[in-house]
Amino acid sequence: MADHRPPQPVPSPEQTPRGHNEIVLPESHGPSTGAVINRIEDILHQIQLDLLHQRDLSIPYRSRRTSSRAASRGDDAGHATTSVRFPGSTAHEAKKFARLLKLLQLIHDGLVAGTCLTKRNIYYQDVELFGSQSIVDDLVDDLAFTLDMSRADLNVAAAAKGLVAGSLVMHMHASPYVLTCSSSQGLLIPPLRDIRSVDFGMTK
């Protein structure tokens, strides 16, 4: 019978001696979650100001592909940050703005809630708006590129990391938990950036 008991707190890594079965994950050197949230909120706040003053709305944007092609030509102009505007000069630009705004909102909400999003999950939040999975993939990566961050900094994964089954201890950066799950169901693996170390000492 499946064990549906919630994760139970365990002593912190400082209180628990490390054994031979514990793996310590390297720490992330990217920006803090709070810093990423602030960057996104700055963009959203600027949009609010533009609305208030009845100006065209804009979102900063850099394309990885454009920058890569420019770099191959030795053209530094390709690295400059441009803007996607609304209503914009074309219907395509207006729709791209709407997609980016929706993406910023979803990523912001995920960061605040501490929820890791997948590109696939983002696509299914508004299939009609995004149009295709490949569009979401490009927008997520370009947004991270624009902000000089990695996709992991935005708490977005390409896909779910899979399941873990069995008894083990995961020491999280925020707080430690024992993850106990049945071999038939398992639990989703948390984002690696949130895991401080994994102790397999409880596994026989």
Side-chain angles (χ1 to χ4, degrees), residues 35-54:
V36 180
I37 291 174
N38 287 339
R39 288 287 302 277
I40 293 176
E41 288 182 347
D42 286 344
I43 295 173
L44 297 177
H45 180 62
Q46 184 59 51
I47 292 174
Q48 290 178 325
L49 290 178
D50 290 339
L51 277 171
L52 180 63
H53 295 286
Q54 299 182 340

Side-chain angles (χ1 to χ4, degrees), residues 13 18 22-34 36-37 110-117 150-157 161 168-179 188-199:
R18 288 176 178 163
E22 183 175 4
I23 299 175
V24 179
L25 277 65
E27 292 187 16
S28 171
H29 297 289
S32 66
T33 299
V36 180
I37 291 174
L111 287 166
V112 171
T115 303
C116 182
L117 302 174
S150 69
R151 190 178 64 234
D153 293 329
L154 301 179
N155 219 14
V156 177
K161 296 298 183 183
L168 52 85
V169 177
M170 284 191 182
H171 293 295
M172 314 301 286
H173 286 294
S175 57
Y177 292 97
V178 173
L179 299 182
L188 282 174
I189 298 175
L192 295 182
R193 62 179 291 172
D194 295 339
I195 304 173
R196 181 172 182 177
S197 65
V198 181
D199 189 347

